Amino acid sequence: MQPDESQYLKCRTGDIDVHPTEKALVVYYEVEASILGEAGNARHEEKKECQKIIRLRSLNASTDVSALARKVVEECKIIHPSKLVEVEHLLLYLQNRKKGSTLILHLACNPDNLEELSSSLARVLREDWKHSVELATTIIYVFFCFSSFSQFHGLITHYKIGVLCMNIIEHELKKYDLWQDELEKKKDPENQSLRKEYEKTLKKYQSLLVKQEQLLRVAFYLLLNLSEDTRTELKMRNKNIVHLLVKSLERDNEELLVLVVSFLKKLSIFLENKNDMAEMDTVEKLACLVPCEQEDLMNVTLRLLLNLSFDTGLRTKMVHVGLLPKLTALLGDDTYKHVAMRILYHISVDDKSKSMFAYTDCIPQLIQMLFEHGEERMDTELISFCINLAANKTNAQIICEGNGLKMLMKRALKLKDPLLMKMIRNISQHDGPLKQLFIEYVGDLAAQIKQEGDEEFVIECLGTMANLTIPDLDWELLLKEYNLVPYLKDHLKPGSAEDDLILEVVIMIGTVSMDDSCAVMLAKSGIIPALIELLNAQQEDDEFVCQIIYVFYQMVFHQATRDVIIKDTQAPAYLIDLMHDKNVEIRQVCDNTLDIIAEYDEEWGKKIQSEKFRWHNSQWLEMVESRQMEDAEPYLYGDDPDALEQPDLFYSTAIYSTDNITSVMYLYQYNSTTIFNTSQKST
């Protein structure tokens, strides 16, 4: 402050109220500090809202309230003498409030009084709850104490206290909206008079809000205790309890929020409640609570989000409202890491959401966690999460950056961990540079296949190798060096191993058959008859059938193996039988394979063409017959006795030239779509 300036303080007394829980008065006042210039004008002004609590320890049933009021006004300089009568009334209220509470508690100590006491309190609450928030809070608190014991739930339900509490909550929430609207109308920083009125209203609003939130808290707590009975909970749901709870998430009171979120978490395990929460945009409101400093609130919010994350639509909404980076940041916090990871795992199940992880630091954190486990088996949640993420190409590229793939392979081969190998297998399915990274590891993978050990681990090794459809890989050398052909043939026999392993062997053969010399080697080893035998055994399993036919498709590309299939086996006959299978993919692979066979073998070409014509002709005839029946149907039950004498009614729609019959054959178009391996799935 400059020498020519002086300071001026001004105090304005506001409202005086009773303390909600203690024997005390709360005085609200405003201090205005001004710095006056040499001319006496205010050069700088500052306002601060304050409150003073006057504790009245000597107040009891015999206290002279008038004398105490005068003493309070005399000693507290911020209370104007004109407030004496108001202070006396407040002290009188405090004196009676204490007496009333003491009497109720004294009566409640005797179990014989509980029923009569409950009846009286229920009547007072029903008649007077709108007149006093404090009264409603006190009475509901008494019933809340009763509700802590299941034995009293019947008594509380009998007097319909739960229904009354829900009505009170609904009323208070509507009142809160009105307060908000009133404040918004008076909020005009440029208008000085409105600004003062706004500040006054805001102060009053804050005082009322404290009382209202105390009421909401005891009312919700009472309902939470009563909801132990699922029948009572259903009645609450029918009365829209979810709506009331979600609406209360807009509050700032942490104790109230902990209660509300806990209640929602309890309700969320039922489908109907979960659907109500989805309609109320609950996820958007919960996203505002993550992160928060209050540990209990943070924990219960994350657990509610975990329950909601089982729903596909709500998982998508979590991504849209920006929860992904928030949850990722919690992976570094031991307090919340596990529940955050479970939510993220659920989100990673959806293919559309997988790519979003690439734009956070989630993947580097997960890889670090993987390598921190040493030689111990990893947490199932952690590795399952990584498996899902690896199914996305962009995520897989981030995983493999630097020595990522090398470290994963080293760990997987050392620990023989099937889940870690499944993650590697998902990485290997992506076309482009990622597959090239596996060339230096094919020898290690082939060596694992021949070893006796964990069958699940061998399945993942086979699946990884089967994904490596790259031209730079010398499959012939690999098969010879590790003597894999006998292994593959032996594991085609039905019952030689688990079906999952046999299927991976078939897929592996399909990949290897892309190489001309390997296809010849496999054909000479007698694998084609073994495949036909397996086809007969697994003809009801569409995945097996599709993959075996795909092997035939690959082999008919090569001259040597094509001749073996056409001349030495009955594979074409099996393919013709499967031309009209119900499975679309099987039909497609069959058509493509038969097209190649028909092109190179005239005899089989005629048989294939004849079968295709026969099939399409039968379909055409069925269509004609169905049309005849449709056109004839209106006349079958008519009242006209001469109706059957009109042959054109039956034959007019069935007049086709022979050209129409033969044209069916020419309308058929051959497909050349290649069926690729489709065995990789998210966990």
Side-chain angles (χ1 to χ4, degrees):
M1 190 169 68
Q2 301 298 326
D4 58 342
E5 294 177 339
S6 60
Q7 192 171 18
Y8 174 71
L9 293 176
K10 187 177 180 181
C11 181
R12 291 192 182 91
T13 305
D15 294 337
I16 305 174
D17 205 348
V18 296
H19 194 281
T21 57
E22 298 181 22
K23 283 193 299 182
L25 295 176
V26 182
V27 183
Y28 298 95
Y29 63 97
E30 183 181 79
V31 176
E32 182 179 327
S34 304
I35 298 176
L36 304 178
E38 191 173 351
N41 58 319
R43 301 184 62 179
H44 180 72
E45 290 184 350
E46 254 186 58
K47 293 181 181 179
K48 184 178 180 182
E49 294 179 354
C50 308
Q51 68 177 33
K52 180 179 178 63
I53 298 176
I54 304 171
R55 288 180 171 80
L56 307 163
R57 295 183 178 85
S58 62
L59 181 64
N60 54 48
S62 60
T63 301
D64 185 346
V65 174
S66 299
L68 182 60
R70 286 193 297 272
K71 184 179 179 182
V72 168
V73 172
E74 287 172 7
E75 293 185 2
C76 185
K77 302 302 181 185
I78 60 174
I79 300 179
H80 195 272
S82 63
K83 299 275 189 178
L84 178 61
V85 176
E86 183 180 351
V87 171
E88 188 174 336
H89 286 161
L90 292 173
L91 292 176
L92 187 63
Y93 170 77
L94 276 175
Q95 188 182 46
N96 292 332
R97 183 179 75 171
K98 190 64 182 174
K99 284 172 65 178
S101 301
T102 304
L103 180 60
I104 291 172
L105 289 174
H106 178 72
L107 290 170
C109 289
N110 186 348
D112 296 334
N113 297 327
L114 287 180
E115 186 169 355
E116 189 173 347
L117 181 62
S118 299
S119 174
S120 301
L121 289 175
R123 187 183 69 254
V124 173
L125 181 63
R126 189 172 291 106
E127 293 174 356
D128 297 332
W129 66 266
K130 286 186 179 180
H131 301 150
S132 172
V133 173
E134 292 89 349
L135 176 66
T137 303
T138 303
I139 295 176
I140 293 174
Y141 182 78
V142 173
F143 281 112
F144 159 68
C145 294
F146 291 166
S147 71
S148 300
F149 304 95
S150 301
Q151 304 94 298
F152 297 120
H153 285 188
L155 186 66
I156 296 170
T157 304
H158 174 72
Y159 290 110
K160 299 184 178 179
I161 301 301
V163 176
L164 191 54
C165 281
M166 291 190 68
N167 292 337
I168 292 171
I169 292 169
E170 186 175 7
H171 175 80
E172 292 299 324
L173 292 177
K174 288 178 180 177
K175 195 193 296 185
Y176 174 80
D177 291 337
L178 292 174
W179 292 345
Q180 294 283 75
D181 293 340
E182 186 181 351
L183 276 174
E184 195 61 34
K185 289 175 183 176
K186 295 179 179 180
K187 191 174 183 180
D188 188 354
E190 297 181 0
N191 189 319
Q192 194 67 22
S193 61
L194 275 178
R195 182 181 174 185
K196 289 181 179 179
E197 190 176 349
Y198 170 78
E199 290 172 355
K200 184 179 178 181
T201 307
L202 179 62
K203 192 185 301 181
K204 181 181 177 183
Y205 161 77
Q206 289 170 341
S207 174
L208 293 170
L209 193 62
V210 171
K211 296 177 183 178
Q212 188 188 69
E213 288 180 344
Q214 285 180 332
L215 173 59
L216 291 176
R217 189 160 173 253
V218 294
F220 276 132
Y221 238 130
L222 171 66
L223 293 172
L224 178 60
N225 287 347
L226 293 178
S227 69
E228 288 179 4
D229 185 343
T230 53
R231 292 171 298 178
T232 304
E233 184 178 305
L234 179 59
K235 292 177 182 177
M236 292 181 190
R237 190 258 166 182
N238 293 335
K239 288 236 171 231
N240 224 356
I241 184 66
V242 174
H243 174 88
L244 301 178
L245 288 164
V246 174
K247 182 70 178 172
S248 301
L249 287 174
E250 300 169 3
R251 303 302 180 105
D252 297 323
N253 186 304
E254 290 183 345
E255 290 183 344
L256 176 61
L257 286 172
V258 169
L259 172 61
V260 168
V261 177
S262 299
F263 204 159
L264 285 170
K265 174 179 161 291
K266 180 182 183 300
L267 295 171
S268 66
I269 63 175
F270 292 100
L271 178 65
E272 296 83 2
N273 296 331
K274 183 266 298 178
N275 291 339
D276 289 345
M277 292 178 203
E279 293 174 4
M280 284 290 296
D281 296 330
T282 309
V283 170
E284 287 86 335
K285 292 181 172 67
L286 292 174
C288 299
L289 302 178
V290 180
C292 63
E293 295 180 0
Q294 224 275 10
E295 186 174 332
D296 290 338
L297 179 57
M298 186 69 171
N299 263 319
V300 74
T301 301
L302 289 175
R303 295 192 178 279
L304 172 55
L305 286 170
L306 177 61
N307 285 1
L308 298 178
S309 68
F310 284 90
D311 181 273
T312 305
L314 291 175
R315 288 199 298 269
T316 304
K317 195 167 285 188
M318 289 178 193
V319 176
H320 288 165
V321 299
L323 270 173
L324 203 57
K326 291 182 178 182
L327 293 169
T328 298
L330 296 176
L331 291 176
D333 190 326
D334 290 338
T335 307
Y336 312 115
K337 177 171 68 175
H338 294 293
V339 64
M341 187 178 295
R342 289 170 186 165
I343 300 169
L344 290 170
Y345 166 73
H346 285 169
I347 293 173
S348 73
V349 171
D350 304 321
D351 289 336
K352 290 183 179 179
S353 300
K354 284 185 177 75
S355 59
M356 302 302 295
F357 287 89
Y359 304 101
T360 69
D361 63 344
C362 180
I363 296 173
Q365 288 190 69
L366 295 176
I367 298 302
Q368 184 179 352
M369 291 180 197
L370 283 178
F371 296 140
E372 283 176 353
H373 274 76
E375 295 189 2
E376 300 174 0
R377 280 292 178 99
M378 286 161 286
D379 295 336
T380 305
E381 293 164 356
L382 173 60
I383 188 60
S384 300
F385 188 14
C386 292
I387 289 169
N388 285 352
L389 293 181
N392 176 268
K393 188 173 183 178
T394 307
N395 294 339
Q397 289 170 340
I398 297 173
I399 292 170
C400 293
E401 286 178 355
N403 291 324
L405 181 60
K406 181 178 180 181
M407 298 292 288
L408 289 173
M409 285 295 301
K410 182 178 179 182
R411 182 180 178 85
L413 295 173
K414 183 177 181 180
L415 300 179
K416 302 289 191 293
D417 189 335
L419 291 178
L420 188 53
M421 185 53 71
K422 183 182 284 289
M423 176 186 174
I424 294 169
R425 175 181 176 180
N426 277 359
I427 296 172
S428 70
Q429 71 180 329
H430 303 297
D431 294 325
L434 285 174
K435 287 194 177 183
Q436 298 292 334
L437 297 175
F438 283 87
I439 292 179
E440 61 180 290
Y441 304 112
V442 289
D444 296 323
L445 293 169
Q448 297 300 319
I449 293 171
K450 293 297 294 290
Q451 293 179 5
E452 294 292 333
D454 188 348
E455 192 172 272
E456 290 184 11
F457 183 70
V458 173
I459 288 172
E460 300 305 330
C461 290
L462 273 168
T464 304
M465 291 185 69
N467 283 334
L468 303 181
T469 52
I470 45 181
D472 298 338
L473 191 56
D474 190 343
W475 283 110
E476 183 182 13
L477 179 62
L478 190 71
L479 293 178
K480 289 179 178 178
E481 183 176 350
Y482 292 94
N483 196 27
L484 289 179
V485 175
Y487 173 87
L488 297 175
K489 183 181 177 182
D490 290 342
H491 284 79
L492 287 177
K493 297 174 183 176
S496 61
E498 292 292 329
D499 283 355
D500 288 344
L501 179 59
I502 297 174
L503 180 60
E504 293 304 328
V505 168
V506 174
I507 297 171
M508 174 75 173
I509 292 170
T511 301
V512 172
S513 298
M514 296 172 67
D515 183 274
D516 185 61
S517 54
C518 288
V520 173
M521 187 190 309
L522 292 171
K524 289 180 178 178
S525 70
I527 271 183
I528 295 175
L531 286 169
I532 293 174
E533 183 183 352
L534 181 62
L535 180 62
N536 284 327
Q538 299 286 355
Q539 56 185 323
E540 299 300 324
D541 190 318
D542 285 356
E543 183 69 15
F544 263 102
V545 173
C546 191
Q547 295 298 343
I548 292 170
I549 296 172
Y550 179 72
V551 175
F552 295 153
Y553 173 75
Q554 289 294 346
M555 287 187 168
V556 295
F557 272 109
H558 313 296
Q559 177 66 43
T561 50
R562 183 167 58 243
D563 291 343
V564 173
I565 288 175
I566 293 173
K567 296 175 181 178
D568 299 340
T569 72
Q570 289 299 311
Y574 282 97
L575 294 173
I576 289 174
D577 288 341
L578 292 168
M579 279 174 60
H580 315 302
D581 193 89
K582 293 179 181 179
N583 187 295
V584 176
E585 290 182 351
I586 291 175
R587 292 203 307 269
Q588 193 176 38
V589 180
C590 276
D591 286 344
N592 295 338
T593 309
L594 289 171
D595 289 347
I596 299 172
I597 292 173
E599 184 179 347
Y600 287 95
D601 189 281
E602 185 177 349
E603 184 179 348
W604 275 112
K606 289 178 180 178
K607 290 180 182 179
I608 294 166
Q609 188 180 46
S610 174
E611 173 58 25
K612 287 181 177 179
F613 172 72
R614 187 198 65 78
W615 170 257
H616 285 283
N617 196 37
S618 66
Q619 295 294 301
W620 179 77
L621 290 172
E622 285 180 14
M623 178 189 69
V624 171
E625 289 174 3
S626 64
R627 286 190 179 182
Q628 286 177 345
M629 294 299 295
E630 288 173 6
D631 290 340
E633 198 170 51
Y635 304 97
L636 291 179
Y637 303 100
D639 296 327
D640 184 3
D642 298 324
L644 296 179
E645 301 298 326
Q646 302 175 36
D648 58 302
L649 292 178
F650 294 94
Y651 299 107
S652 58
T653 58
I655 299 174
Y656 291 90
S657 68
T658 53
D659 291 335
N660 286 339
I661 299 175
T662 56
S663 65
V664 176
M665 242 178 58
Y666 295 103
L667 287 172
Y668 181 79
Q669 295 181 351
Y670 295 112
N671 283 320
S672 58
T673 307
T674 304
I675 302 297
F676 295 97
N677 297 342
T678 57
S679 61
Q680 310 306 315
K681 298 177 182 176
S682 295
T683 302

